Amino acid sequence: MDRVGLWINHSKPEAITLAGQITHWFAERGWNVYTDWEKITAQGVRFLISLGGDGTLLEASREAAPYAIPVLGVNLGRLGFLCEIERNEIFDALDKITNHDYSIQERLMLTATVNDADQTFDVLNDVVFLREPSSAMVTLQANLTGETSVSYPADGLIVSTPTGSTAYALSAGGPIMSPNVEAILLTPLAAHSLSARPMVISDQENIEISLVRGEECIVSFDGYHRTAIKYGEKVVIKRASINALLIRLGKRSFPHVVREKLKDRWHE
């Protein structure tokens, strides 16, 4: 018997309602549906359906990556850069997937280690360094593969994947990167130097970010965990050993997604 998992944003009533409809749809076809994460990982589901928005898909994909579970994102949110389909397309999409008419796209992830600690964080979008609102500007030093490379006197710094280039980095003035590009993006926040520019680097680089000016800096990992580093402390970031797996139905190319989601900024 085939198995599928649901990752539900319980803060959205529409997601809960849709989860019930999807469960009924699969039950009629003899599938088992799981919503408990321990059962999802133990039962070996064929794929996972994320019901929410980009944030929900981000969370689901990050958790599913170590188990090599592909994820279908259903957009019940506002922007939906990452989600493959909208709510009204779900059952047509499920027909395709159950008939093996889909592809899986691998998305680069990052691993971040704070102060050489044993605990690490895997992210699909970004690692964000941000000064406290009450503190002055900070300076973050970025060393690439052990060499002093560039310093950023700024309000903060975003280290992002190509997936994350359409998230916080985009609003900070960074470039949009195709998810097929294997690279890492460094984007300063409100830089206090004209020479502190966004930079695209190889995904093979080991990036060491140190706080070299300022007392403290907040660091967040995909927004799901936050910590603080003090003056002289560092975070080491490199490509993760795992990739996120997203289900694609071949309906939307990346240029099409960019045009649709940012159409208010385009001129016909």
Side-chain angles (χ1 to χ4, degrees), residues 56-241:
T56 307
L57 177 58
L58 191 71
E59 184 180 24
S61 301
R62 187 177 60 243
E63 296 299 319
Y67 302 93
I69 301 173
V71 184
L72 174 69
V74 182
N75 183 37
L76 305 178
R78 188 171 54 88
L79 193 57
F81 252 110
L82 299 181
C83 293
E84 179 68 4
I85 59 172
E86 301 297 324
R87 186 256 180 272
N88 63 339
E89 301 172 305
I90 178 63
F91 297 109
D92 287 340
L94 294 182
D95 272 328
K96 285 189 173 184
I97 295 172
T98 53
N99 287 309
H100 302 274
D101 184 14
Y102 66 96
S103 62
I104 295 176
Q105 182 183 59
E106 297 189 14
R107 292 289 183 103
L108 181 153
M109 296 179 67
L110 301 175
T111 293
T113 305
V114 181
N115 293 321
D116 299 319
D118 292 335
Q119 188 178 22
T120 61
F121 303 95
D122 289 332
V123 301
L124 177 54
N125 257 3
D126 49 37
V127 181
V128 178
F129 299 79
L130 193 64
R131 70 174 179 85
E132 289 279 16
S134 59
S135 66
M137 173 194 73
V138 296
T139 298
L140 293 156
Q141 177 70 43
N143 299 334
L144 306 181
T145 314
E147 295 187 20
T148 301
S149 303
V150 61
S151 63
Y152 291 99
D155 285 353
L157 177 68
I158 306 168
V159 181
S160 61
T161 65
T163 299
S165 72
T166 56
Y168 195 3
L170 178 62
S171 65
I176 295 175
M177 297 171 62
S178 165
N180 296 321
V181 173
E182 296 191 334
I184 301 171
L185 174 62
L186 277 65
T187 306
L189 291 167
H192 292 245
S193 169
L194 293 177
S195 63
R197 311 302 302 169
M199 183 165 61
V200 178
I201 61 175
S202 166
D203 66 314
Q204 299 303 307
E205 296 279 3
N206 279 359
I207 309 162
E208 181 182 289
I209 307 294
S210 301
L211 181 62
V212 297
R213 178 182 176 186
E215 294 182 1
E216 187 175 87
C217 184
I218 301 300
V219 188
S220 70
F221 307 89
D222 266 358
Y224 78 97
H225 185 88
R226 287 164 60 94
T227 189
I229 59 171
K230 308 232 179 247
Y231 173 81
E233 295 183 332
K234 66 182 179 182
V235 178
V236 176
I237 303 167
K238 61 183 180 180
R239 179 170 184 160
S241 60

